[in-house]
Amino acid sequence: MPEAPALAVRVRPAADRAAPTRPAARPAVRPAETVLPPFVLAGNGAYGARLAVAATEGGEGARFVERWTLDGPEPYAVPLPTGQPEEAEAQVLPLADGRVLVRRRVAERHTFSLLYPTGPGTGEVLLGAVERDALTLLPPSPDGVSAYALSAGAYSTGLWRVAGGPGGPEHLVDLPGRCSGGVWLDRAGRLLALDREPAGGGPVKTVAVDLERGAGMTPLLQIAPESDDRLLLADPDSGLLLIRSDAPGQDRLGWGVLGSSLPVRFPECLRLPECAVTPFAVQPGQSLMPESCAVALRIDGAEGTWIGLWRPSGRRLHQVAAPAGWLGGSGVWSPDGVLKLPYAEGGTGCAVALLGMPEETEPEGRESERQPSGAPVPLPACTPVPLGQAPLVGRPSPEPGPGLT
């Protein structure tokens, strides 16, 4: 069963519950298209936003945008209702200044507005609209002021800047193929990694888009010629990359280092049969030390959802119970290794649970039972493709370590 965390402090108390038993197996789930979690954190972690539901007499609550402030001594939530309830398919994205971007579907258009608290009411700035069949927001930009979206078509994918530009929504480029995902590779919000499927079909490969050089696209991740290789998370400070690939023969989680010449590694400890394991947060501030970064993973099994804590150097996945009411898939590490998990349960409408990374200990009198985390999986011979001409800004070159070939 999931073990007790090394540190578990709730900023606002909530009813305790017993740690769940280790769940029974269920079929693994492949990664979906670009989908933001139900609770989205700003690029700097200072704010969060979600669609909340207000209780009504009829039993069906009205949805409204709710902003959480997380950088103070105690978290608090501010409702941002407008003249009409939000639809279930609306998307929200908090900016670093406390405003919340909301995308709404209105007939064949996608409208964008910025919401902010103003006295007892809600201020709203209309940014404009985009006419596309499908359009989804990308994860928050690290610059804290910009927001981007993808509109996938049959043969190409449109990349849009919907906030932070000189005017309203701005079409930047049509990228060939079908693109999804969305991982930022630097702190300036310049380099964006996308998972691209060729227009005529074929394996999915991650590419890097340089937003300061005409949105030029460069191959980033290629483990084997015919494998589907997706980038899930990246830490710009250390260069640590979390990858999902079927190059080992089946869909596996792996890790590498941006710019390294060594292979991607697929730890056995991250392989939980018939469970979905998805990384959602990487510890920042570990410059040149990718193996020391703490990684938080969401684990979904037949009995529910819980949390995994892991370091590449630790070779062990620590499984711990999630706080009751955790807004699953959301959280952020502090540079000193404390994981902040937003949750809301019952009378506690806004709170943060803190988890520390457990110590790596060896059992006395016997050899370690930890699973190896460093053995590279033999892969078919191929010509590896690194980041190429899209340079990282503001990050020193990594020391040799396990990473991309």
Side-chain angles (χ1 to χ4, degrees), residues 41 44-45 187 233 235 279-286 292-297 307-311 330-341 354-358:
L41 289 163
N44 61 357
R187 296 290 182 199
L233 279 181
D235 173 54
F280 64 88
V282 181
Q283 180 185 2
Q286 307 300 299
S292 299
C293 291
V295 179
L297 307 101
I307 294 170
L309 303 174
W310 169 78
R311 279 194 182 100
S330 58
V332 62
W333 287 99
S334 67
D336 57 353
V338 176
L339 178 62
K340 302 177 182 180
L341 299 169
L354 307 180
L355 293 181
M357 187 70 192

Side-chain angles (χ1 to χ4, degrees), residues 197-214:
E197 180 183 0
V204 176
K205 303 293 183 184
T206 302
V207 297
V209 178
D210 191 334
L211 299 179
E212 289 189 3
R213 294 186 177 179

Side-chain angles (χ1 to χ4, degrees), residues 376-391:
V377 173
L379 302 174
C382 65
T383 302
V385 182
L387 184 59
Q389 301 303 314

Side-chain angles (χ1 to χ4, degrees), residues 223 247-249 252-253 263-268 374-380:
I223 301 177
R252 295 279 299 273
L253 280 180
V264 171
R265 303 191 179 196
F266 296 89
E268 190 65 24
V377 173
L379 302 174

